[in-house]
Amino acid sequence: MPAKIIDGTKVAAEIRSEAAVIVREVAGAWGRPRLVAVMVGDASAARAYAASQRKQCDLVGIEYRLQELRAETSAVDLCGQIDALNADRAVRGIMVHLPLPAGIDPAEIQLRIDRHKDVEGVNPANIGMMFYGEPVIAPCTALAVMALLRESGVRIEGAEAVVVGHSNIAGKPVGLLLLNEMATVTVCHVATRELAGHTRRADILVVAVGKAGLIGPGMVKPGAVVIDVGINRVREVDGQGKPQERIVGDVAFEAVREVAGAISPVPGGVGAVTTAVLLRNTAEAARRQVVRMRQ
Ligand code: NAP
């Protein structure tokens, strides 16, 4: 029987509803929470993401401001902008669109964001709390993966979980969150020998690499829950011989669907949920700031 499709659109709508409830609570006394997204230069993927953020913020009542800076902006200037946003009492959440121009170290900028306003969960202080098993704000993509796992109904405690990819924004935090929920976690990367030997053991397989078709059906344990984080643009030729572009994940979806127990699609999986998590993180950050101001 083909795998159950884990519906990211539905999960995203539920998370947005949670965010909207918090926003209403905060807005009553302190006005709509404001999220400022900083974009340096003009990357088309970041622009598309910003447009989607604005639309979704409107849905839940968060005020979204995109602060666009010239591609020539220096690291010093960008740090100055972040400092100003940190000090601005009207701003509840700050996020920085990647990629940044060459010469600006994203880690330096992420360290600069006030941890209480760091709604992407990328400041080392927030990452550290995740390490202690008490995340205050965790990275959005990792939380999106966990939300999809919950939707799948899989029992995480005691499960063999394999994460492919060890980036700071996806693979590593997913591994930590799974460990915090008592899965037995293996994290694979570019130096892993015999990747399939690991993935075939997984009850839960999370793939965050950025290589279309990396995971085929022979690499998946029958009945496993597969979460595909990858976003890849592939060029194909349609039935009429016309070239076209399509977005796919890292998992060969149709073939793996015949083996897995549940699978998240691309699009309509992790990506759909990630932005909703950003809004919930913003709403929760706003609520915590309001509580701190009252104390
Ligand atoms: P990244 O920083 O490039 O990391 C990719 C990871 O995959 C690295 O840890 C890399 O290892 C590892 N890797 C590369 N080739 C491998 C192989 N053959 N076998 C095993 N591991 C391999 O990318 P990222 O930012 O984590 O993003 C990964 C993918 O997820 C991309 O397609 C991205 O667009 C997508 N993404 C989606 C969302 C979402 O919300 N849906 C969010 C973030 C990212 P080394 O570092 O050792 O080379």
Side-chain angles (χ1 to χ4, degrees):
M1 199 171 65
K4 168 188 168 186
I5 309 292
I6 309 167
D7 186 351
T9 312
K10 170 176 168 256
V11 174
E14 288 164 3
I15 292 173
R16 276 196 304 271
S17 300
E18 289 169 25
V21 169
I22 304 171
V23 165
R24 275 199 296 277
E25 187 188 315
V26 173
W30 299 84
R32 290 168 69 198
R34 181 182 302 166
L35 168 63
V36 178
V38 179
M39 190 190 295
V40 186
D42 192 13
S44 60
R47 192 154 290 285
Y49 185 32
S52 153
Q53 288 175 341
R54 181 182 297 284
K55 211 164 112 188
Q56 294 202 36
C57 278
D58 284 348
L59 288 176
V60 305
I62 291 173
E63 182 192 331
Y64 182 79
R65 293 212 181 160
L66 181 63
Q67 188 166 339
E68 298 188 59
L69 303 175
R70 292 175 302 119
E72 302 73 35
T73 301
S74 68
V76 173
D77 287 345
L78 181 52
C79 284
Q81 294 286 339
I82 299 292
D83 290 347
L85 293 172
N86 286 340
D88 186 340
R89 291 171 69 93
V91 175
R92 301 278 177 232
I94 303 167
M95 64 127 336
V96 177
H97 282 286
L98 299 180
L100 290 170
I104 303 184
D105 177 8
E108 185 192 343
I109 305 306
Q110 288 162 347
L111 181 64
R112 198 87 178 193
I113 299 172
D114 181 329
R115 68 187 168 95
H116 302 293
K117 298 186 180 185
D118 165 38
V119 289
E120 287 190 297
V122 290
N123 181 294
N126 285 322
I127 293 170
M129 291 310 289
M130 201 170 44
F131 182 88
Y132 287 121
E134 292 172 13
V136 181
I137 308 178
C140 304
T141 304
L143 287 178
V145 168
M146 299 307 286
L148 290 171
L149 285 174
R150 269 189 287 281
E151 172 70 14
S152 78
V154 69
R155 184 177 163 83
I156 297 176
E157 187 179 331
E160 283 286 339
V162 174
V163 181
V164 187
H166 67 155
S167 73
N168 291 341
I169 62 157
K172 276 188 209 167
V174 168
L176 262 181
L177 292 178
L178 285 166
L179 187 59
N180 289 347
E181 295 204 19
M182 301 297 280
T184 301
V185 182
T186 304
V187 179
C188 301
H189 42 72
V190 78
T192 299
R193 290 192 296 264
E194 291 208 49
L195 179 62
H198 294 282
T199 58
R200 270 199 295 264
R201 282 191 297 103
D203 304 311
I204 293 172
L205 177 59
V206 180
V207 191
V209 171
K211 286 194 177 148
L214 178 71
I215 303 295
M219 299 172 77
V220 175
K221 179 178 175 178
V225 175
V226 179
I227 307 292
D228 191 351
V229 182
I231 301 175
N232 308 289
R233 288 172 198 280
V234 292
R235 287 185 171 280
E236 291 174 339
V237 176
D238 70 10
Q240 278 82 48
K242 280 207 319 222
Q244 58 177 18
E245 201 176 69
R246 200 160 64 93
I247 305 256
V248 300
D250 292 342
V251 177
F253 181 80
E254 291 301 338
V256 169
R257 204 184 154 192
E258 298 301 319
V259 182
I263 185 168
S264 68
V266 179
V270 178
V273 181
T274 298
T275 310
V277 170
L278 176 76
L279 308 193
R280 191 178 58 191
N281 278 357
T282 303
E284 284 175 348
R287 179 159 64 183
R288 271 192 296 271
Q289 287 166 46
V290 165
V291 169
R292 280 177 45 239
M293 279 191 278
R294 281 187 178 140
Q295 283 168 349

